[in-house]
């Protein structure tokens, strides 16, 4: 049985970083097409600590950069080893937008790709919209430098926080992940109109879209009827230890059975 809590400071000190993964599925076939890695810390006593505990302590830029690099290393190592032959289009990892805009991630990603031998195209960098990113010119040029390494770029949590339309327009983004707050109110006519515009933009700009926070069949069908082709959320599966992802991709040909109680069942997927 997985035991999870928010822990305390001394638990964080006696713990190691681990990656968990949440599937991203094709909204029509329910096939797993990608996975987002999410940070956890595993205490020496086996308890899993959630990022709400350890991430807020780490918002200063150098610590956060090291943290982002460690998560990218876990993703790259997975892609080069257990994930090498899985039919996954990408594995994504969250980074602070400021580290994209500053260029600080470029040498790190280059080095981690070289160290691991991972296929760069299968690594998706998610720049979160929780963080301000005031300098559009350096955003564009450093997104281009990252893309020159062969990796793909996603905008995460689009629609909340510091979402900035010029960031979409000015840089060669591959994927937009639409924040769950928009997906979960997509029966609201004005919200649907906004999402229709985003779908039209994505088709014109050849950018992929993921509906985040799909928890119910009505979230799923609203997103599908708008033309959003990929989804992520509790309907398909909660985050699970990364070691369980290969089984999830192989089980039933990688087709997830949507379930309001959580999609993938832990017990059927022994680590
Ligand atoms: O900001 P980002 O989109 O990277 O956050 C992913 C977070 O969203 C994870 O902590 C994950 O557990 C959570 N999450 C994923 N799917 C759902 C969902 O369907 N509903 C809710 N409420 N949270 C979700
Ligand atoms: Mn994310």
């Amino acid at each position: 049985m997985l035991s999870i809590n928010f822990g305390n400071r001394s638990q964080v000190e006696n713990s190691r970083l681990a990656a968990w993964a949440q599937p991203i599925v094709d909204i029509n076939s329910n096939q797993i097409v990608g996975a987002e890695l999410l940070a956890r810390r595993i205490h020496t006593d086996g308890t899993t600590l959630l990022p709400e505990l350890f991430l807020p302590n780490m918002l200063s830029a150098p610590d956060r950069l090291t943290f982002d690099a460690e998560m990218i290393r876990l993703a790259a190592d997975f892609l080069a080893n257990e994930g090498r032959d899985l039919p996954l289009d990408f594995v994504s990892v969250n980074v602070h937008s400021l580290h994209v805009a500053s260029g600080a991630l470029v040498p790190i990603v280059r080095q981690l790709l070289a160290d691991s031998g991972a296929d760069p195209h299968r690594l998706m960098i998610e720049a979160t919209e929780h963080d301000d990113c005031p300098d559009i010119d350096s955003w564009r040029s450093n997104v281009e430098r990252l893309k020159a390494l062969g990796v793909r770029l996603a905008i995460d949590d689009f629609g909340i926080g510091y979402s900035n339309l010029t960031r979409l327009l000015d840089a060669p983004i591959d994927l937009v992940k639409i924040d769950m707050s928009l997906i979960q109110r997509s029966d609201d006519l004005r919200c649907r109109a906004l999402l229709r515009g985003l779908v039209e933009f994505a088709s014109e700009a050849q950018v992929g879209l993921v509906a985040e926070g799909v928890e119910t069949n009505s979230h799923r069908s609203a997103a599908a009827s708008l033309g959003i082709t990929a989804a992520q959320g509790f309907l398909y599966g909660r985050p699970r230890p990364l070691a369980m992802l290969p089984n999830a991709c192989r089980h039933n040909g990688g087709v997830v059975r949507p379930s309001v109680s959580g999609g993938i069942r832990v017990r059927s997927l022994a680590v």
Side-chain angles (χ1 to χ4, degrees), residues 107-165:
I108 292 172
V109 171
R110 183 188 296 117
Q111 184 67 48
L112 293 174
L113 288 171
D115 289 352
S116 63
D119 174 359
H121 191 66
R122 295 175 79 212
L123 180 64
M124 182 79 76
I125 306 277
E126 292 192 20
T128 167
E129 294 279 79
H130 284 299
D131 312 310
D132 194 5
C133 174
D135 185 345
I136 284 290
D137 288 336
S138 41
W139 163 261
R140 176 180 36 237
S141 65
N142 285 305
V143 164
E144 281 166 359
R145 288 174 69 209
L146 275 173
K147 295 228 24 183
L149 302 175
V151 300
R152 284 183 279 175
L153 254 293
I155 296 209
D156 197 13
D157 305 323
F158 183 77
I160 56 155
Y162 291 90
S163 288
N164 180 330
L165 293 177

Side-chain angles (χ1 to χ4, degrees), residues 69-91:
E70 286 175 20
M71 288 301 294
I72 296 169
R73 182 190 295 282
L74 292 175
D77 285 349
F78 177 79
L79 284 170
N81 295 289
E82 306 92 306
R84 178 185 284 271
D85 299 319
L86 293 178
L88 279 176
D89 184 39
F90 65 86
V91 163

Side-chain angles (χ1 to χ4, degrees), residues 36-38 92-94 126 128 156-157 177 212 232:
E36 174 175 359
L37 298 199
L38 295 158
S92 67
V93 60
N94 295 285
E126 292 192 20
T128 167
D156 197 13
D157 305 323
K177 300 187 74 181
E212 292 188 299
Q232 175 179 0

Side-chain angles (χ1 to χ4, degrees), residues 6 28 42 47 93 236:
F6 289 88
N28 297 308
I42 313 296
T47 313
V93 60
Y236 303 103

Side-chain angles (χ1 to χ4, degrees), residues 106-263:
V106 173
I108 292 172
V109 171
R110 183 188 296 117
Q111 184 67 48
L112 293 174
L113 288 171
D115 289 352
S116 63
D119 174 359
H121 191 66
R122 295 175 79 212
L123 180 64
M124 182 79 76
I125 306 277
E126 292 192 20
T128 167
E129 294 279 79
H130 284 299
D131 312 310
D132 194 5
C133 174
D135 185 345
I136 284 290
D137 288 336
S138 41
W139 163 261
R140 176 180 36 237
S141 65
N142 285 305
V143 164
E144 281 166 359
R145 288 174 69 209
L146 275 173
K147 295 228 24 183
L149 302 175
V151 300
R152 284 183 279 175
L153 254 293
I155 296 209
D156 197 13
D157 305 323
F158 183 77
I160 56 155
Y162 291 90
S163 288
N164 180 330
L165 293 177
T166 58
R167 274 168 75 176
L168 275 189
L169 289 174
D170 287 356
I173 293 301
D174 298 284
L175 185 69
V176 173
K177 300 187 74 181
I178 307 166
D179 190 68
M180 67 175 84
S181 58
L182 295 177
I183 296 304
Q184 294 184 354
R185 58 188 278 200
S186 49
D187 49 356
D188 169 338
L189 286 181
R190 295 197 306 168
C191 185
R192 283 185 71 80
L194 210 138
L195 292 175
R196 269 199 305 276
L198 188 57
V199 169
E200 194 178 335
F201 163 81
S203 144
E204 183 66 35
Q206 300 201 305
V207 166
L209 290 177
V210 173
E212 292 188 299
V214 174
E215 291 182 350
T216 64
N217 282 311
S218 69
H219 297 154
R220 192 209 75 84
S221 52
S225 71
L226 283 161
I228 298 168
T229 52
Q232 175 179 0
F234 295 165
L235 184 67
Y236 303 103
R238 291 174 184 258
R240 298 286 177 223
L242 178 57
M244 298 169 97
L245 183 62
N247 269 356
C249 292
R250 290 187 191 111
H251 180 78
N252 198 26
V255 175
V256 174
R257 194 171 333 130
S259 151
V260 282
S261 61

